[in-house]
Amino acid sequence: MLAGLSIPSSTGEALRRFLLGMLMPSKQMLIAGEWCDAEDGSFSDVLNPATGEVIANVPKATVSDVERCVKASKAAFKSKEWSGMDPAQRGRVLQKMAAATYANAKSLAVIESNNNGKTFREALSEIRYGAWTFEYYSGFCDKIEGSTIPVPGNRLNYTLKQPLGVTAHIIPWNFPLQLALRSIAPALAAGCTVIAKPASWTPLSLIEWAKVMIEADVGLPDGVLQVITGSGGLIGDALAGHADVDGITLTGGVPTGHAVMAKASENLTPVTLELGGKGANIVFPDANLRYCAKAICFGIFMNAGQMCWAGSRLIVHEDVHDELVAAVIEEIGKWPVGPGMEEGVRMGSMVHESHRDDVLKMLAEGLKQGGKVACGGNAIDREGAFMEATVVTDVSSDNLLFQEELFGPVLSVTKFSEESEAITLANDTPFGLLNGVWTTDLSRAHRFARDLECGMVSINEYPITFPQTPFTGWKHSGIGIEQSKDALNFYTKVKNVNVKL
Ligand code: NAD
């Protein structure tokens, strides 16, 4: 099946490929209110990782396309049609964007599942979450307030909070549409203009969403929202280093964070970086182990473990280690692996065979350093980028399986005996995104919440977040805050005004 067209399996491979090329839908970028190709007409293929088939092609933008895009964004910002709009009206536009996203959530989820490999159910809940994020920020448009400040003498002193300007949003492939909407919504709410660049592997849902917004005629002036597709190293880099880009939001890996921050520093452009993670679930004997086992699986096998906030480490008290590991392995039996659009599947394909192979290589390296495979550990022998849900026990804290983000369905298990040892273990990675604590001892739970070196802690539940709560990483997990009213600070500039009366 390609773009709704079946190609009989009896067709020879060469002819089949040719037909796929002919029939494949070509997507376009949204620049200055127009759908367009790259300036030099080049395209790249987009795959369905569950079948390995090309399902579309998208423009491979050039640096001159970036120039065109930034110019249009700057013009749209300077025109003040958006930034100077009655903020309540801007809020209504965001409400319409939320409504159009909800209304099209199912068709967007089909695209997401086919392009990323995740299950339809996962994709649908993410897209609804994206719509909810728009709803949440729509109410803020007319509540971005400055302050009056008491100063000596006959003076009036106040602050204005003004939109940051042209913002570039560089998006990863693991939650392609949801993470795009997570930062686009507060940027638009603040009155900024937006250039969004999806990851090369997963551009389809964002392009389709932008099309939905245009067709729904939500009231965005031309150039306020643009989508540009192409290589991160070329156009992501060009956006990050552009003098007319006023703010960059990247969700991606740590090396990309370094590259973007270095490039942005050339113009002192502010950045928000949401990077990797190595989340731990720390489990004490008084926890509800059955429920905990379910949450642990959810935290590492959802989205085939390709999550910054994956609970990829289980740090468990020695008294309940064997019981909990057995419960986790039993629970894995309820996670059928297969194509994301197939009924009953809970763990879809990984995003690309090359990524799956990288995860397997890291797993093999880690196992050379120690650890025992209690479950899984292999690629699944079928077409597509599938991998078994994997549990490795007896992992020491110096093992790469404990330290590094594998970004796949691999859970490492480490025992502890004392509370102080558990906190030391949990903090012993370069990352600091989300950690979970499982105990019914209230004091212990809050001691951990205080002492964990990370931006988010969840007690007796994992993983969990809401549009209204900060999503933020410490250490190598990032800089800045996504979601919540705090995210609006990035998209606004403070101006102090002094008036001699
Ligand atoms: P990635 O860093 O390879 O790519 C992210 C985006 O950056 C893509 O759009 C890519 O094209 C672009 N890019 C790549 N090189 C660039 C460069 N030199 N300059 C500018 N842009 C560039 O990440 P990925 O593989 O798509 O996603 C996985 C990573 O994202 C993981 O490390 C994961 O932890 C992280 N992530 C973090 C969060 C969070 O909120 N903290 C959420 C999801 C994913």
Side-chain angles (χ1 to χ4, degrees):
M1 252 322 244
L2 181 101
L5 294 159
S6 301
I7 298 176
S9 51
S10 55
T11 312
E13 184 55 24
L15 180 57
R16 208 176 72 88
R17 285 274 145 204
F18 174 75
L19 286 174
L20 287 176
M22 296 297 288
L23 300 173
M24 158 163 50
S26 290
K27 302 292 175 186
Q28 291 188 302
M29 308 184 284
L30 179 62
I31 300 184
E34 304 282 340
W35 292 99
C36 59
D37 296 335
E39 192 215 26
D40 65 0
S42 57
F43 278 89
S44 48
D45 290 345
V46 179
L47 306 179
N48 176 341
T51 62
E53 272 183 352
V54 177
I55 50 171
N57 58 33
V58 296
K60 207 169 171 186
T62 62
V63 171
S64 77
D65 293 312
V66 171
E67 285 302 329
R68 214 150 49 94
C69 211
V70 174
K71 201 168 157 209
S73 201
K74 190 175 174 185
F77 183 71
K78 293 254 176 218
S79 83
K80 294 201 162 44
E81 219 187 321
W82 181 247
S83 62
M85 186 182 277
D86 164 7
Q89 181 56 22
R90 214 164 53 224
R92 284 177 210 118
V93 174
L94 264 76
Q95 281 170 25
K96 285 188 197 163
M97 295 177 85
T101 308
Y102 277 125
N104 290 275
K106 284 192 177 154
S107 54
L108 289 166
V110 171
I111 293 169
E112 196 77 301
S113 172
N114 274 298
N115 187 187
N116 168 281
K118 64 177 71 217
T119 67
F120 171 75
R121 228 177 134 142
E122 287 170 339
L124 185 60
S125 71
E126 289 162 29
I127 289 157
R128 288 180 174 155
Y129 188 100
W132 181 15
T133 306
F134 264 81
E135 265 176 351
Y136 171 73
Y137 284 108
S138 69
F140 270 108
C141 296
D142 56 1
K143 296 170 195 73
I144 298 173
E145 297 169 350
S147 51
T148 53
I149 304 168
V151 293
N154 195 14
R155 295 184 180 91
L156 167 67
N157 192 295
Y158 62 96
T159 58
L160 294 173
K161 273 198 161 183
Q162 298 182 321
L164 183 60
V166 173
T167 59
H169 303 246
I170 306 178
I171 318 295
W173 47 255
N174 60 342
F175 295 95
L177 186 52
Q178 190 217 312
L179 293 183
L181 303 189
R182 175 174 83 171
S183 64
I184 292 174
L188 290 179
C192 295
T193 54
V194 164
I195 301 169
K197 191 209 88 64
S200 314
W201 281 340
T202 55
L204 300 185
S205 55
L206 183 58
I207 294 175
E208 188 60 28
W209 175 79
K211 208 164 134 233
V212 165
M213 294 305 118
I214 302 293
E215 282 168 6
D217 200 13
V218 291
L220 281 175
D222 285 351
V224 168
L225 172 68
Q226 302 184 89
V227 178
I228 184 166
T229 53
S231 126
L234 185 71
I235 62 164
D237 180 79
L239 285 167
H242 203 294
D244 286 334
V245 170
D246 302 299
I248 299 147
T249 300
L250 164 78
T251 304
V254 175
T256 313
H258 284 293
V260 164
M261 197 167 170
K263 201 72 192 184
S265 73
E266 291 171 12
N267 296 299
L268 301 178
T269 309
V271 292
T272 289
L273 305 176
E274 289 289 355
L275 307 176
K278 194 72 195 171
N281 274 297
I282 306 143
V283 185
F284 286 89
D286 58 351
N288 175 340
L289 295 187
R290 279 273 140 205
Y291 181 65
C292 177
K294 281 184 198 297
I296 286 165
C297 287
F298 197 61
I300 185 64
F301 303 131
M302 184 173 77
N303 211 31
Q306 304 163 118
M307 302 179 287
C308 53
W309 68 344
S312 51
R313 295 178 299 154
L314 169 58
I315 297 175
V316 52
H317 193 274
E318 57 190 1
D319 289 354
V320 288
H321 172 275
D322 294 356
E323 186 184 345
L324 185 58
V325 170
V328 167
I329 291 171
E330 191 187 326
E331 189 61 31
I332 287 174
K334 299 178 200 155
W335 281 76
V337 183
M341 288 302 296
E342 225 171 81
E343 199 60 40
V345 163
R346 283 189 76 192
M347 190 162 87
S349 163
M350 296 177 73
V351 72
H352 200 280
E353 283 189 25
S354 70
H355 176 62
R356 191 260 325 264
D357 295 346
D358 287 346
V359 173
L360 286 166
K361 260 186 231 145
M362 282 180 85
L363 174 62
E365 276 306 305
L367 289 171
K368 282 187 205 156
Q369 300 171 12
K372 294 180 198 151
V373 176
C375 171
N378 301 299
I380 293 179
D381 187 18
R382 60 176 291 170
E383 193 175 49
F386 296 98
M387 178 176 168
E388 292 172 337
T390 300
V391 179
V392 183
T393 59
D394 301 277
V395 175
S396 59
S397 62
D398 55 354
N399 190 316
L400 77 83
L401 298 177
F402 189 96
Q403 291 292 336
E404 292 182 30
E405 185 181 45
L406 272 71
F407 227 56
V410 180
L411 177 70
S412 75
V413 186
T414 307
K415 265 184 221 169
F416 73 90
S417 48
E418 300 296 330
E419 184 178 312
S420 59
E421 194 189 348
I423 194 94
T424 305
L425 281 168
N427 287 336
D428 185 16
T429 82
F431 297 104
L433 197 57
L434 171 67
N435 287 302
V437 186
W438 293 82
T439 180
T440 47
D441 178 335
L442 198 61
S443 302
R444 179 156 63 197
H446 288 290
R447 275 198 300 279
F448 269 77
R450 182 194 61 199
D451 295 338
L452 282 165
E453 294 162 0
C454 58
M456 297 175 285
V457 175
S458 185
I459 294 161
N460 295 330
E461 189 172 29
Y462 199 99
I464 188 87
T465 188
F466 305 94
Q468 57 269 48
T469 59
F471 197 104
T472 181
W474 291 12
K475 305 197 281 187
H476 286 192
S477 291
I479 295 175
I481 297 175
E482 298 264 28
Q483 301 187 155
S484 78
K485 61 181 181 333
D486 294 336
L488 288 166
N489 289 334
F490 182 73
Y491 297 104
T492 50
K493 291 181 286 200
V494 174
K495 183 181 282 173
N496 182 247
V497 181
N498 183 68
V499 186
K500 181 85 171 96
L501 299 173

